[in-house]
Amino acid sequence: MTSLKSQLYISLVACIDMLWLLLCCVPHGAVAVAPGAVAVTPVVIVPGALGSHIEAKLSRESTAHWYCDKKADWYTLWLSIPMLLGPQLYCWADNFKMQFKDGVFSNTPGVETRAPGFGETHSIDYVDTTHLVSYMVNLVQGLMKIPGAKEGVTVRAAPYDFRYSPPSRETKDYFNRLQGLIEETYTLNNNSRVALVSHSLGSLISSTFLHTMSTEWKNKYLHSWSTLGGVLGGSMKVVKVLVSHGVLDGPDWLTNRLVHREVGRTIMGNYYMLPRSPIWGEDELLLQTPNRNYTMANLDQLFTDMGVESGVEMWNTVKNETYIGDPGVKTYCFNGRDIPTAKSFYYTDQSRFPDEIPQVVEGDGDGTVPRRSLKICHDWESTKEIYEYSGEDAGGHDKMLDNKELIARIVAIVSQASNEVF
């Protein structure tokens, strides 16, 4: 019995010593990793346009209509589907639109906005608050199946107010927050480098962000970057958004597209996603009417002819603010192909321009982003793998986020040893 008691006492002391060692030496929030084991590679996701929720707080002196609220505490501005229906659409439009004054984009006076859920993933799972329109939910769930994964610790998101773009103060603030989130995620996960994953506009935002960071910072904090359907060189769809449609496609009786168009014409992020030179040639046809052809060379004239007086200045504010050169981070490029994608537009009735629905001349792409824009990342020295998916179901701009093979590849990338040297 004495020998057994001695053995129990020695074992108890050893356990206490081990517990003390863990409490003292493992950073708060980090996962203790046994010798020789592979730590979970943490992930930060940057969503695309329309992919973040936006909340608003109102303290307005006046509104567009008598039935619209002047005062309101924080509520969902994007996306609550009932707000887009009936008379409420006009209240939503009045609060969602931006103003442009003295070369600066800003909210409508009396409207304060924020993107909730920074560092978490719930606000990027679905586009809307009622969960009718899925977004990143399947990708997030796939990542959460990795052993050791934890929402808000190893799998995180960096939502943002997608109406803004560089060079706005709001985007500079977002870059600072994104840097802080990546550094915090690195620390929380036992100094494991972070895998950055982005989609659509999020890839253009991420590319520009990476250009602002030093090589030393990227080498220390980033494991890799996966860009999914990146609108790196711009998209022709945005031309139609500004000219005749707004952000929602659909029949007029349902979407009231001309109201959405007026909102879309004020949004900084839309001008940021317009086609760019030299990806598009100066004389390449973008849009045609019976009276005029519009190209990159006379894009200024298009803004004038469609009645957007400040369009030229808004375009000039953002057109040189992107960076799509080699990011200096190990990159995985995912995109769709072999899907009809707008190449140019033809408005047949000059008397109804720019209000009519145009005929679409189609080229190749993912249904939203032309292939030439998607392929920019194919030529980077830092790009290690290129994955292309043919057809709408596998490679559609948004449907690719539900592609099981794509999700499996992302999981495989972030399941690699976090201390892998680039």
Side-chain angles (χ1 to χ4, degrees):
M1 290 292 294
T2 302
S3 176
L4 179 59
K5 287 182 179 180
S6 298
Q7 291 177 13
L8 289 172
Y9 175 77
I10 292 171
S11 297
L12 179 61
V13 170
C15 288
I16 292 172
D17 286 344
M18 180 61 71
L19 178 61
W20 178 87
L21 180 64
L22 289 171
L23 291 174
C24 290
C25 300
V26 177
H28 177 69
V31 178
V33 182
V38 177
V40 175
T41 298
V43 179
V44 168
I45 302 172
V46 179
L50 312 181
S52 301
H53 292 180
I54 299 176
E55 294 179 340
K57 184 177 182 180
L58 305 181
S59 56
R60 303 192 57 173
E61 295 182 358
S62 63
T63 60
H65 299 278
W66 62 268
Y67 53 80
C68 300
D69 292 330
K70 292 182 181 180
K71 311 290 182 183
D73 204 354
W74 293 107
Y75 72 96
T76 299
L77 181 62
W78 182 267
L79 172 65
S80 174
I81 292 177
M83 295 183 65
L84 303 183
L85 305 175
Q88 283 298 315
L89 170 64
Y90 299 95
C91 305
W92 169 84
D94 197 35
N95 293 325
F96 193 81
K97 70 181 182 182
M98 305 179 77
Q99 70 171 14
F100 183 75
K101 184 178 180 180
D102 299 327
V104 177
F105 287 87
S106 63
N107 287 341
T108 297
V111 179
E112 183 181 354
T113 56
R114 67 185 183 187
F118 196 81
E120 303 166 356
T121 61
H122 61 84
S123 66
I124 67 167
D125 285 342
Y126 294 87
V127 174
D128 66 306
T129 55
T130 53
H131 295 184
L132 291 176
V133 185
S134 65
Y135 184 44
M136 292 277 191
V137 61
N138 287 327
L139 175 60
V140 169
Q141 289 178 354
L143 292 167
M144 289 300 299
K145 292 178 182 178
I146 299 174
K150 185 177 181 181
E151 197 274 336
V153 178
T154 67
V155 183
R156 313 186 79 182
Y160 57 98
D161 188 336
F162 49 80
R163 299 174 307 149
Y164 288 95
S165 76
S168 68
R169 174 181 57 81
E170 288 76 8
T171 301
K172 291 176 182 177
D173 291 344
Y174 173 73
F175 283 175
N176 289 333
R177 296 185 71 200
L178 179 57
Q179 177 183 350
L181 180 66
I182 291 171
E183 292 174 359
E184 178 187 72
T185 304
Y186 170 90
T187 302
L188 283 175
N189 290 277
N190 204 25
N191 295 347
S192 294
R193 292 191 296 168
V194 177
L196 188 65
V197 177
S198 59
H199 175 242
S200 190
L201 171 62
S203 293
L204 184 56
I205 292 289
S206 296
S207 179
T208 305
F209 164 74
L210 291 172
H211 177 57
T212 70
M213 307 307 296
S214 68
T215 299
E216 292 74 19
W217 185 90
K218 288 182 280 192
N219 287 343
K220 178 177 180 178
Y221 290 105
L222 291 179
H223 167 276
S224 60
W225 175 34
S226 294
T227 168
L228 286 58
V231 57
L232 297 170
S235 172
M236 279 300 303
K237 185 175 182 178
V238 183
V239 175
K240 187 176 72 169
V241 165
L242 294 174
V243 175
S244 57
H245 270 63
V247 298
L248 298 180
D249 267 327
D252 287 358
W253 62 267
L254 178 63
T255 65
N256 206 331
R257 64 181 173 87
L258 295 184
V259 173
H260 285 281
R261 180 189 66 179
E262 294 311 305
V263 174
R265 288 178 172 182
T266 73
I267 302 302
M268 188 180 192
N270 285 337
Y271 294 89
Y272 189 64
M273 291 187 288
L274 280 168
R276 303 298 177 103
S277 297
I279 312 303
W280 269 260
E282 286 295 300
D283 296 325
E284 187 171 352
L285 183 64
L286 304 177
L287 183 150
Q288 185 178 21
T289 71
N291 291 355
R292 193 185 297 273
N293 292 340
Y294 298 95
T295 67
M296 293 298 296
N298 67 343
L299 196 57
D300 292 1
Q301 185 65 49
L302 174 60
F303 292 126
T304 300
D305 291 349
M306 69 189 204
V308 182
E309 295 180 0
S310 56
V312 175
E313 189 179 357
M314 289 192 282
W315 166 234
N316 287 334
T317 299
V318 303
K319 70 178 182 181
N320 295 319
E321 296 296 330
T322 60
Y323 178 75
I324 54 174
D326 193 295
V329 176
K330 180 173 57 179
T331 300
Y332 298 88
C333 190
F334 295 81
N335 61 263
R337 60 177 299 173
D338 305 324
I339 304 168
T341 304
K343 181 180 179 181
S344 65
F345 302 102
Y346 179 45
Y347 290 79
T348 60
D349 188 344
Q350 189 70 44
S351 67
R352 296 177 58 209
F353 178 78
D355 295 345
E356 72 168 316
I357 297 175
Q359 296 179 8
V360 181
V361 178
E362 295 175 335
D364 190 15
D366 68 3
T368 295
V369 183
R371 184 160 165 74
R372 70 177 83 180
S373 186
L374 296 166
K375 287 181 62 179
I376 287 174
C377 58
H378 293 196
D379 297 327
W380 293 337
E381 184 178 346
S382 295
T383 297
K384 300 305 176 184
E385 297 288 346
I386 298 167
Y387 302 103
E388 296 189 289
Y389 300 94
S390 179
E392 174 65 24
D393 290 340
H397 187 67
D398 292 319
K399 285 189 176 182
M400 69 187 312
L401 299 173
D402 299 324
N403 182 334
K404 292 181 180 180
E405 181 183 341
L406 181 150
I407 294 172
R409 289 193 182 277
I410 296 289
V411 168
I413 289 167
V414 303
S415 297
Q416 296 174 12
S418 62
N419 61 353
E420 179 185 337
V421 177
F422 170 40

